[in-house]
């Protein structure tokens, strides 16, 4: 992504908000209870930001995402690199991964609740499941591509297996691993909200469902916006890590 | 003169999806390369030059014949045969210095010694000001110099170069040809020179650099002729304008032309 240009980036958002506030009410006449205007949402936002419940929900959701993401990263990176360097490992797990991958994490909700009950463990499990596949597949692609492009150079330099792994495979796969983590974290954040709507009694997803049952549609929308903003924050943090850790990534091949 | 690398009746086949897709890259390829000589291999596109180089490097298995280095069969890659790849294959996550140090690291040399040797070679290729830069920060010519320094830093007995100058511009190419001769050690007596196998498309490059030029047939690659280069060493720039230089270039082109035309048409 190009360097942040806030005026230009926010322009469309501001236009949409303006249309929503001043044009839409002339077309949709159901009233703010069904169709809250930006000004209503802003009010809802203010009351939300002042409530301890809201902040607890944010911490709960972010905590669950990070926990699930950590589990997914730990398993996904190790398994992915192993798949990338060892065809035998790939042959062993390939079919299993390809069969499980197309299943959306939501499809696991009933089983998650059955196994882990309603609460933290279920949510963390679902996040980990959602984040796992992009991480493992990118790590595998990274290790494989690195071996293809740089394996010969490492071999003819006389490097043994351990040195090749440590100085070539790992650093070469790193940007792919981080890319997988970015995608995985994004998926995890998407999963958590749905998971909490059904399988938890706390968190932002639960808060949305609760606000809906109190007919506080302004809170629902405010929560959605917060979820979006936190998503952007998590992603740009990892993007920065990626740029720092592998400045060469995406440049002209060496 | 001692034989350093020897190929006897080497054959290499790449199996396709169907039997009719199979490609015979090398057939009955026989060649001796002497210790300390600079041997260039030229031939039409797809004649198996690179396949042969990879086989000597131990990166590809041969299907027929035998391949020796110092009389010992070549079975796998090793630090005694350094390779300079066409696309450089510098490690992009390492600085120039780390790239040059890598083969020394593989030899298990202590850090201080590594640094000292690397510095010497980085100086040799005139990259001292860039030793902490990453490959993506270098121009094509500088990357190539870095690749040359990495190639020789580990002190391999045989240098295998696969069209190392194919991706730099024409002028840089002329400059780097001189550098290659300097790094090879043209000014040293033959006994102290390394053995070089240099694959190239460019006939005048082969004539400028090599002691002997092996001309290959089109696929399946066989040895067509070995041309002994009468030009004196050290090779100086003015030789490029000598009648001997042009005549030799022309003679070799005569050997390849028909096959090269065919290679384009098929």
């Amino acid at each position: 992504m190009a360097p942040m240009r806030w005026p230009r980036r926010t322009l469309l958002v501001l236009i949409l908000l303006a249309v929503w506030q001043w044009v839409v009410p002339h077309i949709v006449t159901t009233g703010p209870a069904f169709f809250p205007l930006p000004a209503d949402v802003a009010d809802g936002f203010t009351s939300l930001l002042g409530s301890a419940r809201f902040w607890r929900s944010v911490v709960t959701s972010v905590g669950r995402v990070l926990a699930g993401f950590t589990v997914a990263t730990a398993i996904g990176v190790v398994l992915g690199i192993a798949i990338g360097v060892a065809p035998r490992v790939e042959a062993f797990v390939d079919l299993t991964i390809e069969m499980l991958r197309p299943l959306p994490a939501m499809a696991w909700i009933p089983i998650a609740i059955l196994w882990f009950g309603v609460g933290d463990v279920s949510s963390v499990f679902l996040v980990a499941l959602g984040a796992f596949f992009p991480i493992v597949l990118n790590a595998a692609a990274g290790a494989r591509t690195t071996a293809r492009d740089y394996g010969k150079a490492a071999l003819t330099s006389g490097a043994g297996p351990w040195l090749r792994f440590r100085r070539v495979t790992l650093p070469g796969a790193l940007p792919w691993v981080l890319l997988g983590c970015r995608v995985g974290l994004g998926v995890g954040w998407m999963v958590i909200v749905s998971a909490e709507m059904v399988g938890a009694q706390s968190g932002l997803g639960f808060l949305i469902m609760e606000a809906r049952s109190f007919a506080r549609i302004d809170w629902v929308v405010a929560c959605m916006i917060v979820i979006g903003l936190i998503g952007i924050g998590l992603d740009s943090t990892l993007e920065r890590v990626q740029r720092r850790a592998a400045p060469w990534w995406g440049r002209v091949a060496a | 003169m001692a034989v350093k690398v020897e190929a006897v009746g080497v054959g290499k086949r790449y199996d396709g999806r169907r039997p009719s897709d199979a490609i015979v890259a090398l057939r009955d390829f026989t060649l001796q390369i002497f210790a300390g000589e600079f041997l260039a291999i030229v031939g039409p596109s797809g004649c198996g030059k690179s396949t042969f180089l990879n086989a000597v490097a131990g990166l590809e298995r041969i299907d027929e014949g035998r391949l020796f280095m110092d009389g010992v069969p070549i079975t796998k890659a090793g630090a005694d045969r350094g390779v300079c790849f066409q696309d450089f294959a510098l490690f992009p996550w390492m600085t120039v210095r780390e790239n040059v140090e890598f083969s020394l690291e593989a030899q298990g040399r202590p850090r201080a010694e590594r640094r000292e040797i690397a510095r010497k070679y980085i100086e040799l290729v005139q990259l001292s000001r860039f030793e902490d830069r990453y490959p993506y920060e270098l121009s094509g010519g500088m990357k190539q110099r870095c690749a040359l320094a990495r190639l020789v830093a580990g002190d391999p007995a045989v240098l295998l170069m696969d069209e190392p100058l194919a991706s730099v511009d024409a002028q840089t190419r002329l400059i780097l040809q001189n550098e290659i001769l300097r790094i090879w050690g043209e000014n040293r007596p033959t006994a102290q020179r390394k053995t070089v196998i240099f694959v190239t498309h460019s006939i005048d490059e082969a004539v400028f650099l090599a002691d002997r030029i092996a001309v290959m047939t089109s696929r399946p690659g066989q040895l067509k002729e070995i041309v002994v280069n009468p030009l004196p060493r050290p090779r100086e720039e003015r030789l490029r304008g000598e009648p001997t230089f042009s005549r030799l270039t022309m003679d070799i082109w005569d050997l390849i032309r028909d096959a090269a035309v065919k290679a384009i048409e098929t």
Side-chain angles (χ1 to χ4, degrees):
Chain A
M1 203 189 292
M4 305 275 183
R5 288 195 203 85
W6 282 107
R8 213 180 283 178
R9 298 184 81 203
T10 47
L11 186 61
L12 180 62
V13 176
L14 293 177
I15 292 174
L16 289 176
L17 284 177
V19 170
W20 185 5
Q21 177 73 40
W22 288 296
V23 180
V24 171
H26 299 288
I27 305 164
V28 184
T29 50
T30 48
F34 282 96
F35 209 92
L37 297 177
D40 306 323
V41 174
D43 285 346
F45 232 118
T46 321
S47 58
L48 207 58
L49 291 182
S51 89
R53 255 312 289 284
F54 165 72
W55 290 108
R56 265 204 308 277
S57 303
V58 170
V59 170
T60 304
S61 292
V62 172
R64 283 169 178 161
V65 168
L66 291 182
F69 172 71
T70 306
V71 172
T73 304
I75 303 173
V77 172
V78 172
L79 184 61
I81 301 261
I83 290 172
V85 297
R88 255 184 284 178
V89 176
E90 180 172 21
F92 185 62
V93 297
D94 175 52
L95 183 63
T96 313
I97 288 183
E98 287 309 315
M99 273 167 51
L100 293 176
R101 190 166 67 99
L103 282 174
M106 308 321 144
W108 289 86
I109 288 180
I111 288 185
I113 294 176
L114 188 69
W115 287 350
F116 306 113
V118 167
D120 284 340
V121 184
S122 272
S123 312
V124 170
F125 170 77
L126 292 169
V127 168
L129 207 60
F132 173 74
F133 293 102
I135 294 175
V136 73
L137 293 177
N138 276 287
R144 206 179 292 127
T145 308
T146 306
R148 187 195 67 202
D149 293 349
Y150 302 102
K152 288 180 176 180
L155 271 176
T156 55
S157 299
W162 171 236
L163 188 69
R164 289 204 303 273
F165 183 71
R166 191 166 57 82
R167 295 284 279 149
V168 179
T169 307
L170 280 188
L174 178 67
W176 297 75
V177 166
L178 291 174
L179 178 69
C181 287
R182 254 180 89 186
V183 178
L185 188 58
V187 172
W189 188 239
M190 273 160 53
V191 168
I192 191 66
V193 177
S194 343
E196 285 170 347
M197 285 182 171
V198 197
Q201 299 290 340
S202 56
L204 282 170
F206 179 70
L207 195 60
I208 288 185
M209 292 308 273
E210 212 178 31
R212 192 205 60 147
S213 62
F214 292 137
R216 287 301 301 260
I217 198 78
D218 55 334
W219 280 358
V220 171
V221 177
C223 280
M224 287 167 67
I225 291 171
V226 168
I227 287 164
L229 291 177
I230 295 176
I232 293 178
L234 290 175
D235 186 65
S236 66
T237 307
L238 268 188
E239 195 201 353
R240 215 163 300 160
V241 170
Q242 196 184 3
R243 257 204 310 251
R244 267 282 176 78
W248 52 271
W249 172 249
R251 305 296 185 104
V252 183
Chain B
M1 249 191 300
V3 173
K4 191 72 183 173
V5 177
E6 184 171 26
V8 185
V10 168
K12 172 74 189 178
R13 195 182 52 248
Y14 294 103
D15 292 323
R17 209 167 292 172
R18 288 165 295 167
S20 58
D21 290 344
I23 287 171
V24 180
L26 290 171
R27 178 181 290 159
D28 196 22
F29 186 77
T30 299
L31 179 65
Q32 291 183 328
I33 297 121
F34 302 112
E37 88 163 319
F38 197 122
L39 178 106
I41 302 181
V42 297
S45 295
C47 73
K49 311 184 282 282
S50 297
T51 301
F52 176 66
L53 205 74
N54 282 331
V56 175
L59 295 171
E60 265 184 82
R61 220 172 269 279
I62 56 173
D63 301 315
E64 282 162 34
R66 282 165 302 164
L67 200 53
F68 303 98
M69 166 150 163
D70 293 325
V72 182
I74 292 172
T75 53
K76 57 179 189 193
D80 52 352
R81 286 150 287 144
V83 182
C84 190
F85 296 92
Q86 199 180 129
D87 57 356
F88 314 133
L90 294 171
F91 303 122
W93 50 90
M94 296 186 194
T95 61
V96 167
R97 183 166 48 73
E98 290 171 318
N99 265 290
V100 175
E101 274 186 26
F102 185 71
S103 55
L104 300 162
E105 204 175 336
Q107 292 168 11
R109 309 273 195 107
R111 186 179 292 263
E113 190 185 332
R114 254 162 33 202
R115 194 150 292 195
E116 194 182 321
I117 297 172
R119 187 157 293 157
K120 191 178 87 188
Y121 285 105
I122 291 170
E123 212 165 285
L124 183 69
V125 297
Q126 296 158 39
L127 281 178
S128 299
R129 278 171 46 224
F130 301 93
E131 66 171 22
D132 291 320
R133 298 294 186 86
Y134 287 88
Y136 74 84
E137 300 173 296
L138 306 178
S139 70
M142 293 194 317
K143 279 181 208 166
Q144 185 51 66
R145 287 200 173 113
C146 178
L148 288 171
R150 179 175 75 171
L151 172 67
V152 288
D155 199 26
V158 177
L159 307 180
L160 305 170
M161 303 199 198
D162 188 4
E163 301 192 39
L165 303 181
S167 53
V168 298
D169 67 79
Q171 290 165 17
T172 307
R173 194 170 179 146
L174 295 183
I175 295 165
L176 287 177
Q177 286 173 4
N178 285 298
E179 299 231 342
I180 286 174
L181 289 177
R182 198 160 53 88
I183 291 162
W184 169 54
E186 190 180 37
N187 295 318
R188 287 187 293 236
T190 315
Q192 291 171 28
R193 289 177 190 158
K194 291 183 181 302
T195 307
V196 178
I197 306 179
F198 189 99
V199 164
T200 180
H201 265 108
S202 161
I203 298 169
D204 52 346
E205 183 167 280
V207 170
F208 186 73
L209 295 173
D211 295 313
R212 291 192 304 155
I213 297 139
V215 181
M216 288 179 73
T217 64
S218 53
R219 200 162 56 214
Q222 276 175 303
L223 189 63
K224 180 159 195 171
E225 196 157 326
I226 289 199
V227 178
V228 177
N229 190 341
L231 293 173
R233 286 199 190 278
R235 300 281 160 81
E236 286 158 11
E237 288 287 0
R238 57 170 184 79
L239 287 173
R240 296 183 194 274
E242 298 275 312
T244 329
F245 187 95
S246 333
R247 197 173 325 119
L248 203 56
T249 308
M250 203 57 216
D251 288 348
I252 295 170
W253 177 231
D254 281 338
L255 291 169
I256 300 175
R257 191 191 300 119
D258 289 347
V261 170
K262 227 193 293 167
I264 293 173
E265 285 166 353
T266 50

